[in-house]
Amino acid sequence: MKCELISVGTEILLGDIVNTNAQYLARRLADNGISVMFQHTVGDNEQRLLDTLDLAFEKSDMVITTGGLGPTPDDLTKEVCAGYFGIPLVEDKKSLSKIKDYFKSKKLTMPSSNRKQALMPKDSIILENKNGTAPGCIMEKDGKIIIVLPGPPGEMKPMFEDGVVPYIKKFSDGVIKSHNIRTFGIGESAMAQKVGDLLDMSNPTVAPYAKSAEALLRVTAKAGSEEEAEALLKPVVEEIQNRLDGYVYGIDSESIEEATVELLKQKGLIVATAESCTAGLVSKRLTDISGSSAVFTCGVTAYANEIKEKVLGVRKEHLQKYGAVSEVVAAEMAIGAVRLSGADAAVSVTGIAGPLSDSTEKPVGLVYLALSDGKKVKVTELHLRQSGDSCREYNRTASASNAINLLRLFALSYPEMPGGSTDAEEYISNF
Amino acid sequence: MKCELISVGTEILLGDIVNTNAQYLARRLADNGISVMFQHTVGDNEQRLLDTLDLAFEKSDMVITTGGLGPTPDDLTKEVCAGYFGIPLVEDKKSLSKIKDYFKSKKLTMPSSNRKQALMPKDSIILENKNGTAPGCIMEKDGKIIIVLPGPPGEMKPMFEDGVVPYIKKFSDGVIKSHNIRTFGIGESAMAQKVGDLLDMSNPTVAPYAKSAEALLRVTAKAGSEEEAEALLKPVVEEIQNRLDGYVYGIDSESIEEATVELLKQKGLIVATAESCTAGLVSKRLTDISGSSAVFTCGVTAYANEIKEKVLGVRKEHLQKYGAVSEVVAAEMAIGAVRLSGADAAVSVTGIAGPLSDSTEKPVGLVYLALSDGKKVKVTELHLRQSGDSCREYNRTASASNAINLLRLFALSYPEMPGGSTDAEEYISNF
């Protein structure tokens, strides 16, 4: 079955918020064997929503809407969709009492405007909202289906998983299965050269995607069952892993931080961070992963030089002679973080994220990373973006990804330090 | 003039990446008086892209595509759009030499596949790409316009600003101007009750939006000139500010962190952070703001209890008796961060982000924040999400926002501490 997504909301159309719902639904529908060929966004406008429904049903049999179920008068998705099918709205007692309970549990009085959220299309399947006040619903008419979901992702996702996934099973066109082969340190063009011939395959298909400082290959197979799909995928995934040996950090890992935390857990290692220009982004990303408390102990964001000295033990004369953005300061920050925390290793980041440089003449985008286990240290120099609107964000994100990758390489080669590391004391005293 | 956006890319259609380009373009087009009524997403598929172009030109005269300009064979947006207008592609020498220079500057050899990125629609306006290899272009035919932009946001945004904004000026339907009134601490429903009558206005319009822990009102006016639009906006913005007094943290601030950094700068204050469950997210968000080094000095991510003791001076007996997630530990973390850093104030966060609780019986979503200037301290208790797929992310984001808001309130009431604060030593010794 073919499905189209309609995201409803002036806040998306005008660009106030990013549409993350479309991404989530597209992925989960594909997982469940439903093909999404088109996604649309319209404002909270009756006529334009009707036009878009018309359009979607020209090519597809199922439409999923998100957004426009709120209590305010401009929220009209449910009303318009029911009207499109000619179905009247009736007050649903169960939904109304749930909305009342929701406000009671928050010790609030239900505003009268929320009452309209309990008006539901007659004979529709009502989808309970466990995280908010607006129920969703599924309407069917002459072989066409509209599934109406709320806009806030925290409400939409559980409703989709609990109410929609079981419903759509019967429409699955077989199974679409993908594996994402995630790489670090190889560009999209270079990767295409190594595996370019595989991009012409049809089942499975292989497609390359680049994102900041990373590149991934998505291998996708379509088959009658999950087992058949896996049998198609396996040899291709293995072939790619062989060709990209050394660059692959994970298959189906969500991110480099997930792969790194997982590897640190397996090896029983504990790490720490010392950050200047990324200012907590490395520790934030490591701890995005649930259960990371087993592998992460301490992070120091040493934004000011005196904190680098006082908390991390960076030598004042090095800060003065070489500046905060220097090899030796990166090294001392990492060594200092190990000593402060007692972790097995620490990674440090010091650089110029931009858009402006510091008082030295160093270029924006110059970043030093160091990895230390307290005894040895390895420093890496990065040259990232020198200018551009998003250079600060890009430079911080890419620096953090590289720092996390150093921790991954540490775990991989443990108990040895990764190649290129030198004696910590010697390194520092040679400056 | 009406414009539609077409995002091209299987990675968006399948949900591998979030479509942030559509948000950016929608907002910037509105700023420039171009109405975006529909946004669409299609995969890298010739026929479906042609269908979508057909569809878009039924209702609009301008289409902007993003994505599908890469060097790999599945990138076909430029080819399909030129074909749709019947315009042949010819090699553009200037673009080719720029692509070669790009690789040279990165000390790489240009892969042969990149050569196709220099094939441009004949007589089109070529848009230089200063941040990547794929140029964009503007094609016109019989009063219809297609603007082709690359997919990576770091390439698309500067190209749009430098090449497209000057071009579209002549098509502006007058000016659309918005002000975003950003609030913290008031829910969407409660806000709608205070300003509900304003939501029915037509020019300017007033629309409420909720996002995690925040709510905003967008006031939008359409007029012949910027001055006329501002004259329409001013009285409405002032009326709303009066009605929501105490909740408004900024007009047109990008975020609570931007408003906070700005206020700290104005007051000449320096702050520090001590984070447990947010693990660097507060310091990361404060330092997202360019120039934040003037107001932020030090952050400690004390994930493990021994780091709370050793680096921040939290008393071992308090950790043992009350646990890491407790009022007194939050207070000691904030006080410790001030003493460590010498900052004017510090904020601390300790809580259970979930999805799993810690070894105590405390519920997921319980978070303590503390604000201290070293002499006084004020502790806040939050009850956030107890479960759900995204509870960890939500709880961390909302905790960080609340912590940043405490720093904002500190700056607002400086040199007084915000109401409800007590003597630091007394507070701790009473436990």
Side-chain angles (χ1 to χ4, degrees):
Chain A
M1 172 167 287
K2 285 181 188 163
C3 175
E4 302 198 14
L5 306 181
I6 304 180
S7 306
V8 184
T10 307
E11 69 272 39
I12 297 174
L13 200 63
L14 289 180
D16 281 329
I17 58 170
V18 175
N19 189 355
T20 56
N21 286 340
Q23 178 201 23
Y24 184 85
L25 289 174
R27 186 157 52 178
R28 294 294 293 132
L29 287 164
D31 291 344
N32 285 281
I34 306 276
S35 306
V36 175
M37 295 301 183
F38 296 95
Q39 302 171 2
H40 312 277
T41 299
V42 289
D44 299 296
N45 175 293
E46 178 169 5
Q47 191 54 50
R48 288 196 281 270
L49 178 51
L50 288 172
D51 288 348
T52 309
L53 285 167
D54 257 341
L55 186 88
F57 281 121
E58 264 177 40
K59 293 201 162 56
S60 305
D61 304 309
M62 186 193 286
V63 165
I64 300 183
T65 70
T66 52
L69 301 187
T72 58
D74 58 332
D75 293 305
L76 42 71
T77 305
K78 185 175 59 184
E79 291 78 355
V80 172
C81 289
Y84 183 79
F85 275 177
I87 300 175
L89 295 175
V90 291
E91 187 166 274
D92 181 60
K93 289 216 166 58
K94 206 173 145 196
S95 296
L96 185 62
S97 90
K98 289 210 167 168
I99 295 169
K100 286 182 175 166
D101 288 350
Y102 178 87
F103 281 96
K104 210 180 282 172
S105 78
K106 302 245 162 188
K107 300 199 175 90
L108 296 166
T109 326
M110 184 184 94
S112 57
S113 56
N114 284 81
R115 196 170 186 106
K116 87 168 182 124
Q117 295 185 306
L119 289 172
M120 302 305 294
K122 195 161 176 285
D123 302 326
S124 64
I125 301 171
I126 293 172
L127 304 170
E128 190 189 340
N129 189 338
K130 290 175 185 155
N131 301 285
T133 55
C137 62
I138 302 175
M139 292 172 253
E140 299 174 349
K141 173 98 183 253
D142 303 334
K144 297 190 188 310
I145 299 161
I146 304 179
I147 301 177
V148 173
L149 300 176
E155 301 178 24
M156 186 281 288
K157 290 178 189 178
M159 187 183 289
F160 179 82
E161 296 301 330
D162 297 348
V164 181
V165 169
Y167 172 80
I168 60 176
K169 285 271 185 243
K170 60 185 168 207
F171 303 115
S172 170
D173 304 321
V175 173
I176 299 175
K177 240 355 241 184
S178 290
H179 288 306
N180 291 310
I181 302 172
R182 295 189 178 263
T183 70
F184 200 92
I186 183 172
E188 192 181 13
S189 294
M191 187 161 77
Q193 281 192 320
K194 277 188 192 278
V195 297
D197 55 312
L198 301 177
L199 305 184
D200 298 328
M201 295 176 62
S202 62
N203 193 19
T205 56
V206 179
Y209 304 113
K211 57 174 210 171
S212 40
E214 299 189 26
L216 80 82
L217 283 169
R218 185 180 175 113
V219 190
T220 305
K222 195 162 177 172
S225 73
E226 196 145 326
E227 293 70 34
E228 285 168 44
E230 286 294 356
L232 290 168
L233 291 170
K234 193 165 176 261
V236 179
V237 169
E238 285 173 359
E239 174 69 22
I240 293 170
Q241 275 189 289
N242 288 337
R243 293 200 201 177
L244 299 180
D245 189 35
Y247 294 110
V248 176
Y249 72 75
I251 311 287
D252 299 328
S253 307
E254 278 295 311
S255 58
I256 185 106
E257 49 267 32
E258 190 180 311
T260 301
V261 167
E262 192 45 50
L263 196 60
L264 290 167
K265 261 189 208 167
Q266 281 171 24
K267 301 263 181 137
L269 294 170
I270 292 177
V271 298
T273 56
E275 305 183 56
S276 185
C277 67
T278 47
L281 181 54
V282 178
S283 59
K284 184 263 173 192
R285 283 176 54 183
L286 289 170
T287 58
D288 280 343
I289 312 304
S290 178
S292 49
S293 55
V295 304
F296 178 75
T297 178
C298 170
V300 175
T301 292
Y303 223 48
N305 278 354
E306 54 268 40
I307 302 299
K308 292 186 182 80
E309 273 180 62
K310 191 171 151 188
V311 182
L312 294 170
V314 175
R315 287 170 211 186
K316 194 185 202 110
E317 61 269 27
H318 286 160
L319 283 164
Q320 283 167 345
K321 189 163 172 197
Y322 301 103
V325 179
S326 59
E327 286 176 67
V328 66
V329 168
E332 289 183 281
M333 285 171 68
I335 296 161
V338 174
R339 290 182 184 164
L340 179 72
S341 65
D344 296 301
V347 70
S348 69
V349 190
T350 179
I352 301 170
L356 303 174
S357 184
D358 61 5
S359 56
T360 68
E361 279 166 39
K362 287 165 190 158
V364 170
L366 175 67
V367 179
Y368 293 96
L369 309 173
L371 171 74
S372 179
D373 62 356
K375 292 181 223 82
K376 290 190 159 191
V377 68
K378 175 187 163 74
V379 180
T380 307
E381 183 176 322
L382 301 177
H383 294 270
L384 302 170
R385 294 209 178 136
Q386 296 196 15
S387 61
D389 207 28
S390 54
C391 84
R392 183 178 180 83
E393 193 192 333
Y394 178 88
N395 289 341
R396 281 158 54 100
T397 303
S399 300
S401 297
N402 274 283
I404 293 167
N405 192 46
L406 285 179
L407 293 174
R408 187 180 70 87
L409 297 176
F410 168 76
L412 271 179
S413 63
Y414 185 82
E416 293 298 310
M417 273 283 284
S421 62
T422 55
D423 183 82
E425 275 313 319
E426 210 176 292
Y427 183 93
I428 290 167
S429 50
N430 280 346
F431 269 87
Chain B
M1 171 164 290
K2 285 180 187 163
C3 174
E4 303 199 13
L5 306 181
I6 305 181
S7 307
V8 185
T10 308
E11 69 272 39
I12 297 174
L13 200 64
L14 289 180
D16 281 329
I17 57 170
V18 175
N19 188 355
T20 56
N21 286 341
Q23 179 202 22
Y24 184 84
L25 289 175
R27 186 157 51 178
R28 293 294 294 130
L29 287 163
D31 290 345
N32 285 283
I34 306 277
S35 306
V36 175
M37 294 302 182
F38 296 94
Q39 301 170 3
H40 312 276
T41 300
V42 288
D44 298 295
N45 175 295
E46 179 170 5
Q47 191 53 51
R48 288 197 282 271
L49 178 51
L50 288 172
D51 288 348
T52 310
L53 285 167
D54 256 341
L55 185 88
F57 281 120
E58 265 177 39
K59 295 201 160 57
S60 305
D61 304 309
M62 186 192 287
V63 165
I64 300 183
T65 70
T66 52
L69 301 187
T72 58
D74 58 331
D75 292 305
L76 42 71
T77 304
K78 186 175 56 185
E79 291 78 355
V80 172
C81 289
Y84 183 79
F85 275 177
I87 301 176
L89 295 175
V90 291
E91 188 166 276
D92 181 59
K93 289 217 166 60
K94 204 172 146 196
S95 296
L96 185 63
S97 90
K98 290 211 165 167
I99 295 169
K100 285 182 175 165
D101 288 350
Y102 179 86
F103 280 97
K104 211 180 280 171
S105 79
K106 302 245 164 192
K107 302 201 174 84
L108 294 167
T109 325
M110 184 184 93
S112 58
S113 56
N114 283 79
R115 196 171 186 105
K116 89 170 182 121
Q117 294 185 306
L119 289 172
M120 302 305 294
K122 193 160 178 285
D123 302 325
S124 64
I125 301 171
I126 293 173
L127 304 169
E128 190 189 341
N129 189 339
K130 290 176 186 154
N131 300 284
T133 54
C137 62
I138 302 175
M139 291 172 253
E140 298 175 350
K141 172 99 184 250
D142 303 333
K144 296 190 188 311
I145 299 160
I146 305 180
I147 301 177
V148 173
L149 301 176
E155 302 178 24
M156 186 281 288
K157 290 178 189 177
M159 187 183 290
F160 179 82
E161 296 301 331
D162 297 347
V164 180
V165 168
Y167 173 81
I168 58 177
K169 284 270 185 245
K170 60 185 167 204
F171 304 114
S172 170
D173 303 322
V175 173
I176 300 176
K177 236 5 236 183
S178 290
H179 288 305
N180 291 309
I181 302 172
R182 295 189 178 262
T183 71
F184 199 92
I186 183 172
E188 190 181 15
S189 295
M191 188 161 76
Q193 282 192 320
K194 277 188 191 278
V195 297
D197 54 311
L198 302 176
L199 305 185
D200 297 327
M201 295 176 63
S202 62
N203 193 19
T205 56
V206 179
Y209 304 112
K211 58 176 211 171
S212 40
E214 298 189 26
L216 81 82
L217 282 169
R218 185 180 176 113
V219 190
T220 305
K222 195 164 177 172
S225 72
E226 196 145 328
E227 293 69 34
E228 284 167 47
E230 285 294 355
L232 289 168
L233 290 170
K234 193 166 176 261
V236 180
V237 170
E238 285 174 359
E239 174 71 21
I240 293 170
Q241 275 189 290
N242 288 337
R243 292 200 200 177
L244 299 181
D245 190 34
Y247 294 110
V248 176
Y249 71 74
I251 311 287
D252 299 326
S253 309
E254 278 295 311
S255 57
I256 184 102
E257 48 268 32
E258 189 180 310
T260 302
V261 167
E262 193 43 50
L263 196 59
L264 289 167
K265 262 189 209 167
Q266 282 170 23
K267 302 262 181 139
L269 295 170
I270 291 177
V271 297
T273 57
E275 305 182 58
S276 185
C277 67
T278 47
L281 181 54
V282 177
S283 58
K284 183 262 172 193
R285 282 176 54 184
L286 288 171
T287 58
D288 279 343
I289 312 306
S290 178
S292 48
S293 55
V295 303
F296 178 73
T297 177
C298 169
V300 175
T301 293
Y303 224 47
N305 277 355
E306 53 267 39
I307 302 298
K308 294 186 182 79
E309 274 180 61
K310 192 172 151 188
V311 182
L312 294 170
V314 175
R315 287 170 211 187
K316 194 187 201 106
E317 62 269 26
H318 286 161
L319 283 163
Q320 283 167 346
K321 191 164 169 196
Y322 301 104
V325 180
S326 59
E327 286 176 66
V328 66
V329 168
E332 289 183 279
M333 285 171 67
I335 296 160
V338 174
R339 291 183 183 163
L340 179 73
S341 64
D344 296 300
V347 70
S348 69
V349 189
T350 179
I352 300 170
L356 302 174
S357 184
D358 62 4
S359 56
T360 67
E361 279 166 38
K362 286 166 191 158
V364 170
L366 175 68
V367 178
Y368 292 96
L369 309 173
L371 170 74
S372 178
D373 62 356
K375 293 182 224 81
K376 289 190 160 192
V377 68
K378 174 187 163 75
V379 180
T380 308
E381 182 176 322
L382 301 176
H383 295 268
L384 302 169
R385 294 212 177 135
Q386 297 196 15
S387 61
D389 209 27
S390 54
C391 82
R392 184 178 181 83
E393 192 191 333
Y394 178 88
N395 289 341
R396 281 159 54 102
T397 303
S399 300
S401 297
N402 275 282
I404 293 166
N405 192 47
L406 285 179
L407 293 174
R408 186 179 71 86
L409 297 175
F410 168 76
L412 271 179
S413 62
Y414 185 83
E416 293 299 309
M417 274 281 285
S421 63
T422 55
D423 183 83
E425 275 313 319
E426 209 176 293
Y427 183 92
I428 290 166
S429 50
N430 279 346
F431 269 87

